[in-house]
Amino acid sequence: MSARQIIYHELVQRHQDAVFGYACRMLRNRADAEDVTQEALLQMWRRWGSFNPLKTRPWIMRVTHNLCVDVIRRRDRASGREVPAEPAVLEAVPDAGESRDPARMADQSMLRERIEAAIQTLPPTLRSVFVLRELQDLKCAQIADVLGMPESTVKVYLFRARNHLQVELRDDACRA
Amino acid sequence: MHAVPEGQLPEDTVARIMAAAYGEASPADRLRVWRATRRDPALRRLLREHRLIAKAVHDLPAPRAPGGIADRIRTEVGGPGVRGAHTLPLPRRGLLWGGTAMAATCAILLATRTLPPAPEPAPEYSRAEIEEARRQIEAAFAMVTRGMGKAGTAVHHEILAPTVARPLRDGTTILHDLFGKEQ
């Protein structure tokens, strides 16, 4: 196996979950997310040399975002509206350190579902900024690079997204 | 200072509260937020809500990519199965490889410069070769002995006889003649 293949498989191993998670949250459809993930990872192989392997995350997220935008546009042309989210598009994976108390587990599971649902209510641009910042752990400058917008705009969108979530989840937060 | 309704809160104050809740505020902003929330229950409640949401968002589990994607990529690109094939993160693997290569190079350079050369392996001879060598040594000693014998004869006859023995004999003859005449 060549050095390029070894490095490529390392990068795939490292980024495939992040790419899939972002695609799931943007597309709300598991099959589409799988297709986008595969295509994004294959583009990393085909366009080898056009990115810095040590700074792959922003590059692969930009590719993924563009593929997601393409899918959303195709859907819009086909149906004229957004696809409703699949209920099981983001199956909850239990954490190792999570409480085993059934009542608490149910609460946590419900809270997760509410948060995922609230994220899905964000408009696509706010959703992409919020997911890249809070769930993919990218810096605002990197998000600006990924989405091709000024950093100040990213900060404004992030503010609006957080505000939107706070309004959506206010009741749950009050109960907690 | 009386509490301000939430809808009329200044945007920069809300932004500072959000930054504090999501763990991005500078120490100075955290201090400002602490002082503001101490005075105003509405701000305190807003900070608490954002903190809870931020914690819940950060605790969301990361979805795992299905293994079928790795299989299709392997088919397209070649190489081993992607998931579980290499477990170390790239920087650690790179450091490990680089460190190992550097250590090996240093060890080789050190060894070539400091260690004495390896001794040549002792030759092993057959019994026939040993016998042949013994015969050659005996022949060599015999030649030396013969040479020494010839040299001794030559010294005796060609050097000692004319230069030592003959003058001694002549001297003795002269003395004998002298003593014989006096008697």
Side-chain angles (χ1 to χ4, degrees):
Chain A
M1 195 164 60
S2 68
R4 179 183 159 184
Q5 279 176 315
I6 292 171
I7 295 170
Y8 173 74
H9 286 303
E10 286 288 347
L11 292 176
V12 168
Q13 172 77 8
R14 199 166 187 203
H15 298 299
Q16 61 178 351
D17 289 341
V19 169
F20 181 70
Y22 182 76
C24 275
R25 289 191 168 101
M26 290 306 290
L27 299 174
R28 315 184 202 186
N29 180 287
R30 201 176 173 84
D32 286 347
E34 280 188 35
D35 290 345
V36 163
T37 304
Q38 183 182 326
E39 181 55 31
L41 295 173
L42 284 175
Q43 280 202 24
M44 190 164 68
W45 175 259
R46 292 180 197 132
R47 291 160 67 180
W48 193 261
S50 66
F51 61 92
N52 181 353
L54 296 175
K55 295 176 182 174
T56 313
R57 181 57 71 89
W59 185 89
I60 192 79
M61 295 316 294
R62 182 163 63 239
V63 170
T64 309
H65 175 76
N66 292 338
L67 290 168
C68 288
V69 168
D70 289 345
V71 171
I72 291 169
R73 280 182 187 152
R74 274 202 302 274
R75 279 181 192 165
D76 288 349
R77 276 201 299 271
S79 64
R81 61 184 176 83
E82 267 198 285
V83 172
E86 284 181 359
V89 67
L90 290 167
E91 288 163 1
V93 182
D95 293 336
E98 197 171 74
S99 166
R100 294 191 180 280
D101 176 21
R104 192 164 174 74
M105 281 171 73
D107 283 349
Q108 285 173 339
S109 177
M110 275 181 61
L111 184 61
R112 273 185 200 147
E113 283 176 18
R114 288 282 301 125
I115 288 171
E116 290 286 2
I119 291 172
Q120 295 304 321
T121 62
L122 288 166
T125 315
L126 299 192
R127 197 188 320 153
S128 59
V129 170
F130 184 81
V131 170
L132 288 172
R133 178 71 193 102
E134 305 302 343
L135 299 171
Q136 304 292 339
D137 210 23
L138 260 61
K139 294 181 172 65
C140 286
Q142 290 176 318
I143 298 169
D145 186 35
V146 168
L147 301 178
M149 59 176 65
E151 195 176 336
S152 56
T153 310
V154 170
K155 286 178 179 168
V156 170
Y157 284 174
L158 190 60
F159 175 85
R160 288 184 192 162
R162 287 171 174 172
N163 216 20
H164 179 97
L165 283 189
Q166 186 258 336
V167 172
E168 283 284 318
L169 298 167
R170 183 177 293 164
D171 293 341
D172 298 271
C174 287
R175 273 202 299 274
Chain B
M1 185 180 167
H2 58 273
V4 181
E6 193 177 317
Q8 299 166 18
L9 290 172
E11 205 165 89
D12 59 337
T13 306
V14 178
R16 266 196 216 109
I17 285 174
M18 274 185 200
Y22 283 83
E24 297 168 353
S26 65
D29 277 349
R30 280 207 298 271
L31 185 62
R32 282 195 198 102
V33 167
W34 177 75
R35 288 172 62 187
T37 53
R38 207 177 51 161
R39 290 194 302 258
D40 191 336
L43 290 182
R44 203 159 46 239
R45 187 168 56 81
L46 187 67
L47 176 66
R48 183 170 165 271
E49 287 172 6
H50 276 298
R51 266 197 188 142
L52 283 169
I53 292 167
K55 184 179 182 315
V57 166
H58 292 155
D59 287 348
L60 281 178
R64 300 291 304 268
I69 293 175
D71 293 338
R72 289 194 289 273
I73 285 173
R74 185 181 53 193
T75 308
E76 180 93 9
V77 172
V82 175
R83 194 179 281 287
H86 309 290
T87 50
L88 287 176
L90 185 64
R92 279 172 57 195
R93 268 186 87 84
L95 285 174
L96 193 64
W97 286 359
T100 308
M102 182 69 81
T105 309
C106 289
I108 290 166
L109 284 173
L110 201 67
T112 52
R113 287 189 180 273
T114 56
L115 290 179
E120 290 183 6
E124 292 183 0
Y125 298 107
S126 65
R127 181 168 290 279
E129 285 172 329
I130 293 170
E131 283 298 318
E132 177 64 26
R134 195 172 60 80
R135 274 198 298 276
Q136 287 177 359
I137 290 167
E138 284 176 355
F141 274 125
M143 284 171 66
V144 170
T145 306
R146 276 201 300 276
M148 292 291 282
K150 282 181 183 174
T153 306
V155 166
H156 185 73
H157 289 291
E158 294 173 15
I159 298 170
L160 287 180
T163 57
V164 179
R166 193 175 296 155
L168 272 176
R169 194 176 63 231
D170 292 346
T172 309
T173 305
I174 291 167
L175 286 173
H176 185 263
D177 290 345
L178 284 173
F179 283 120
K181 284 175 185 175
E182 284 181 4
Q183 284 174 357

